[in-house]
Every structure is written in C-alpha cells, then in structure tokens.
Amino acid sequence: MVGGHHHRLDGCLEDIIDQNLTMSDQISKIVSGSFYQLRQLRTVIDSLAEVAVKALVHALISTRIDYCNSLLARITDKQIRRLQVVQNSAARLITGTGRGQHITPVLRNLHWLPVARRIEYKIICLVDKCLRAEAPEYLARDCQLLCKRNRTINLRSDSTRVLWAPRTRSKMGDRSFRAIGPAYWNILPPSLRDESVTRSIFLNRLKTFLFDEAAEAH
C-alpha cells in the first residue's frame, strides 16, 4: 500500500507496501493468513499422510513466505522473526517437533532455509542470472564486475568475480537491488562465485552454504 493504495502484482497476490518500506502491513497479512491455515491443518492432520501435509504446508504457508520476499531484504530483525515463527510452527506441525526442541536441525532435515536466508537465496540467485546474461538488462546493469568497471586497479576480483558495490546515502538505497545484490554476492566464497560453476551446481552449493551460515549463527 503506497500512499494508502494497494499495489497488485502478477494479477494474483497483493503486496502491501507502506511509504517507508517497513513491510509491516504485508508481513502482518502473511502471518495472520498463515496461522489461520495452520489452525485449519491441525484439525485434519491425523487423517493425512506426511507427504500430503508437506504438500499442503508448501502450498499454503511456504509460498506466502516466499512470494516477492526479495522486497523484505534488510527489513528489521523484529519483522523477520515474525515470519520465522510462522515457518517454525509449520515445521513443527509437519514433524511433530515439540516447542522445547531446537528448530534449526528440523528445518535442515526438511531442506527449508530459515526466512532470512531464503531472502538472501532469492537475491543471490537473481545476481547469478544477471552474470549469466539471463536476466533483464535493467537488473544486469546493477551487477557489474569490479575488474571491468575499473581496469586501472590490480585486484583479485578479476578471477574471483567481485562485484562493484555502490555507496548509498539512505536506508531506502541500502535496500535497493543495486546495493544488496553485490553485497550478498561478494560474501560468497570464491569457489562459489567461480564462472565455471554450472547453474544447477551453483544452486546446490549456495543452499548448502546458506544452511551452514544459518547453523553458525545459532
């Protein structure tokens, strides 16, 4: 909702975008809708096979969390935690894990990246597409190799594919793709940024890397 208006995307779901891009209204909508669906699932879960429960949770919960989640990059930790509570509840529903049990290994067993890492995954995947010339030009322009931008500097970036990260002067600018795309990309290990890595291998290694990062954070 910008200036009191809803902005409809893809003719299907709505993103409610507030003036300062806090995304709090959108997150409230996701959280309330997700918990409603979880409550409904709890009433029938005993009559469903685990594979059916997983499919329903993916369709009703995970898609809500993931839809346009690149807009959530660098929002406050408080807002991310609200979405993480939803994901944790969904994981506990599927696995029967109690509230007192640590959720990180449960998420990994389900092959679910935590919410914050899912956002990073989405943005890094888009950067990778830009570097493979598989993304629109207006996005690719924001993913410039540092070595090509300034040939007068002798940097290891020529072989490690470090991206130019522009300076920004506002919180809004900090959350733009031109700022967060290169920032997320540049923290990847050089072996993951290697040009010879195929897309499918890259995606697998990226997910493993982000799982490891999430585990270390806890």
Side-chain angles (χ1 to χ4, degrees):
M1 182 160 52
V2 180
H5 297 284
H6 288 75
H7 180 58
R8 181 172 289 278
L9 299 173
D10 294 345
C12 181
L13 299 177
E14 280 187 337
D15 268 9
I16 304 172
I17 305 175
D18 56 274
Q19 186 174 5
N20 296 316
L21 286 182
T22 65
M23 305 305 293
S24 59
D25 290 340
Q26 171 66 0
I27 290 172
S28 293
K29 182 181 177 183
I30 294 171
V31 171
S32 62
S34 296
F35 276 121
Y36 171 79
Q37 296 294 349
L38 287 172
R39 287 193 297 270
Q40 298 304 306
L41 283 173
R42 285 193 182 95
T43 65
V44 298
I45 190 171
D46 290 339
S47 61
L48 297 174
E50 183 177 335
V51 64
V53 177
K54 285 182 178 179
L56 286 170
V57 167
H58 174 73
L60 299 173
I61 310 300
S62 297
T63 54
R64 289 174 183 267
I65 294 173
D66 290 341
Y67 181 73
C68 288
N69 64 350
S70 57
L71 294 174
L72 306 180
R74 290 181 173 171
I75 62 171
T76 64
D77 290 342
K78 177 182 177 180
Q79 299 294 351
I80 290 292
R81 283 195 296 270
R82 295 176 67 197
L83 292 174
Q84 191 60 57
V85 169
V86 172
Q87 188 189 49
N88 293 352
S89 297
R92 294 185 193 282
L93 178 69
I94 291 174
T95 61
T97 303
R99 289 182 177 273
Q101 294 177 265
H102 194 41
I103 197 64
T104 299
V106 176
L107 296 177
R108 185 150 193 167
N109 286 338
L110 289 171
H111 302 287
W112 289 3
L113 285 168
V115 172
R117 303 300 176 177
R118 293 169 91 91
I119 296 169
E120 291 180 35
Y121 181 86
K122 177 75 72 65
I123 292 172
I124 293 170
C125 285
L126 186 53
V127 173
D128 182 64
K129 275 194 169 185
C130 290
L131 296 177
R132 295 179 193 274
E134 297 175 359
E137 176 60 27
Y138 72 91
L139 289 175
R141 285 196 299 267
D142 291 333
C143 299
Q144 302 179 48
L145 291 173
L146 187 58
C147 63
K148 291 184 178 180
R149 184 176 175 84
N150 193 340
R151 285 290 186 179
T152 64
I153 303 177
N154 182 19
L155 293 171
R156 291 180 61 247
S157 59
D158 200 1
S159 59
T160 58
R161 298 210 301 168
V162 172
L163 297 182
W164 175 66
R167 293 182 179 179
T168 58
R169 299 180 179 179
S170 67
K171 290 184 178 180
M172 203 79 76
D174 289 344
R175 292 178 56 192
S176 65
F177 178 69
R178 71 193 300 262
I180 58 178
Y184 286 170
W185 177 265
N186 289 344
I187 65 173
L188 298 178
S191 60
L192 196 50
R193 299 196 305 263
D194 194 307
E195 189 174 8
S196 65
V197 176
T198 65
R199 175 74 174 177
S200 60
I201 292 176
F202 172 81
L203 295 179
N204 288 333
R205 290 180 180 176
L206 174 60
K207 198 167 187 179
T208 299
F209 171 76
L210 292 175
F211 269 128
D212 291 343
E213 289 286 295
E216 289 180 11
H218 289 80

